[in-house]
Amino acid sequence: MSSPKVSSPRIAVVGAGIVGASMAYHLALRGARVTLVDVAEPGSGVTARAFSWINIAHTDPHAYQDLRQAAIGDWHRLEAELGGAVTVNWTGALSWDEDLGETERLVAHHAAAGYDVCLVTGSEISDLEPGLIAPPRIAAHAPWEGSVDPVVATRALCAAAREAGAVLRFGERVAGLMEAGGRVTGLALEDGEIAADIVVMAAGVGSADLVRGVGLDLPLRASPATLVRMRTAGRLVRGIVCSPGFEIRQAGDTLMLSAAGYIDETPENGPMAIGRRVMEAVRSGVRGAQDIALIDAVPGWRPMPRDGAPLVGFMPGIGGLYLAVMHAGIILAPVIGRLAAAEILDGRSEDALQPCRPERFDL
């Protein structure tokens, strides 16, 4: 379902994570009257708990592969547009599976899909990451991948949205959606209302509860992961390293980040226990890591649509409600913001977003 084209529409964006911030920025840049609302400060939710690897080659090619590849270019665009307020560390990424045949297969699939990823061996691996104690026989190298500070990027997008005319309302909780005549007409806050021609729902896992109030059941669950932060004496790796034992990157001269799984909150399997296991794996696998120290390990509850693909587009069955909820929010935020703004403001359907449509589910 589309929404009638309105000249300079009033658009309320719910959620000031990186996706909501990108939506607010791109819409305001196009002249929409945007209000961005969140109960917390920008980037303080699951965005702050993201490993923030801007990647393509780590997963199998899928229905929204083209969108993910386009995201690399959109991150470069944002760097230029925001004048240094956002900086991506284009370090490249080195990854391999325990089954090296699986690594070869993945590289072949991505190369066939046109992505710049190649197999590297022996001395090439050692040149890329000389700190690895036991480098694999082969690995996948994606030279154009990188990482970003997601909180800095989110706040920069919010500042740029404000500069473009958006109103930012933080510390205000959205209680529900207002509806009349089969359309969403704005937001009901705990203390007040915001009238809108279109509401963009970008509240991550919280989106499901908010749209349930207008009779919609999103195929969405929380997918937990743990962000582990470790203090190092210096830079131990050059780029992103994803091995069977750990997934790490330097986020500064003395700060290393790792992405890890989540089990539960018990002392033996809780986030800090996971963090200690990651730290020991890094000590065993990287030269100079004996003196690293665990800072903290914090779970983040990422929104995961039922089939893994993003949920982007106007919701069927009700007017004026646009969804922008996805697992790979850090990677996709700039390209989703650009394309969704075009759909909302120009009244056209972007082909790149077709695999992401809510209509693929029976809502």
Side-chain angles (χ1 to χ4, degrees):
M1 174 181 289
S2 63
S3 184
K5 187 175 177 181
V6 179
S7 177
S8 187
R10 301 167 301 168
I11 302 178
V13 180
V14 184
I18 195 165
V19 174
S22 178
M23 292 292 302
Y25 166 69
H26 286 92
L27 287 162
L29 205 63
R30 293 283 312 276
R33 292 173 288 167
V34 176
T35 303
L36 176 62
V37 187
D38 199 299
V39 70
E41 290 300 307
S44 60
V46 69
T47 293
R49 294 161 173 78
F51 184 62
S52 301
W53 175 9
I54 300 170
N55 75 79
I56 298 170
H58 188 53
T59 56
D60 271 313
H62 40 63
Y64 64 102
Q65 178 77 12
D66 290 346
L67 190 65
R68 225 168 145 131
Q69 290 189 209
I72 299 288
D74 274 273
W75 271 110
H76 283 286
R77 171 183 59 81
L78 267 192
E79 286 186 289
E81 282 183 7
L82 299 184
V86 171
T87 301
V88 179
N89 297 312
W90 298 109
T91 57
L94 194 69
S95 61
W96 66 96
D97 296 277
E98 190 168 355
D99 177 359
L100 294 180
E102 180 67 12
T103 302
E104 292 179 307
R105 183 193 65 80
L106 198 61
V107 168
H109 281 201
H110 279 289
Y115 185 60
D116 185 8
V117 58
C118 60
L119 283 176
V120 288
T121 63
S123 62
E124 294 174 297
I125 296 173
S126 296
D127 288 343
L128 288 166
E129 290 295 347
L132 294 176
I133 291 174
R137 179 175 56 82
I138 61 168
H141 183 225
W144 302 112
E145 295 183 349
S147 60
V148 68
D149 185 319
V151 177
V152 169
T154 300
R155 292 177 179 173
L157 284 164
C158 287
R162 181 191 284 118
E163 193 171 310
V167 175
L168 310 185
R169 296 178 62 167
F170 303 134
E172 298 191 55
R173 185 181 298 277
V174 176
L177 302 178
M178 299 190 300
E179 180 189 8
R183 289 188 59 81
V184 169
T185 59
L187 304 177
L189 307 179
E190 287 188 340
D191 184 18
E193 297 178 347
I194 298 174
D197 300 302
I198 296 167
V199 168
V200 175
M201 186 58 61
V205 294
S207 301
D209 286 340
L210 289 172
V211 304
R212 197 171 290 120
V214 292
L216 299 171
D217 186 16
L218 291 185
L220 190 67
R221 64 178 176 85
S223 172
T226 303
L227 180 69
V228 180
R229 298 195 308 154
M230 295 167 282
R231 185 176 295 107
T232 64
R235 289 184 175 268
L236 304 182
V237 292
R238 294 177 174 177
I240 298 140
V241 177
C242 182
S243 76
F246 50 76
E247 185 174 313
I248 55 175
R249 70 176 179 90
Q250 293 284 163
D253 289 340
T254 61
L255 178 63
M256 177 179 282
L257 302 184
S258 177
Y262 173 86
I263 302 175
D264 55 38
E265 293 294 329
T266 61
E268 62 272 18
N269 285 319
M272 288 301 287
I274 289 172
R276 287 188 288 272
R277 291 198 281 269
V278 167
M279 183 174 63
E280 290 306 317
V282 175
R283 284 174 174 169
S284 299
V286 180
R287 291 186 183 89
Q290 287 306 308
D291 295 329
I292 63 174
L294 180 63
I295 299 171
D296 58 21
V298 185
W301 301 87
R302 304 166 299 179
M304 178 66 81
R306 186 188 303 153
D307 60 1
L311 286 167
V312 183
F314 283 102
M315 287 292 292
I318 189 165
L321 180 59
Y322 194 96
L323 202 63
V325 180
M326 64 214 68
H327 177 263
I330 305 295
I331 301 167
L332 296 177
V335 67
I336 293 294
R338 173 176 62 84
L339 294 176
E343 287 199 326
I344 292 168
L345 299 178
D346 298 337
R348 68 168 188 257
S349 180
E350 292 285 345
D351 289 343
L353 294 177
Q354 291 311 310
C356 307
R357 297 306 187 201
E359 290 92 333
R360 69 186 188 272
F361 298 108
D362 183 10
L363 302 175

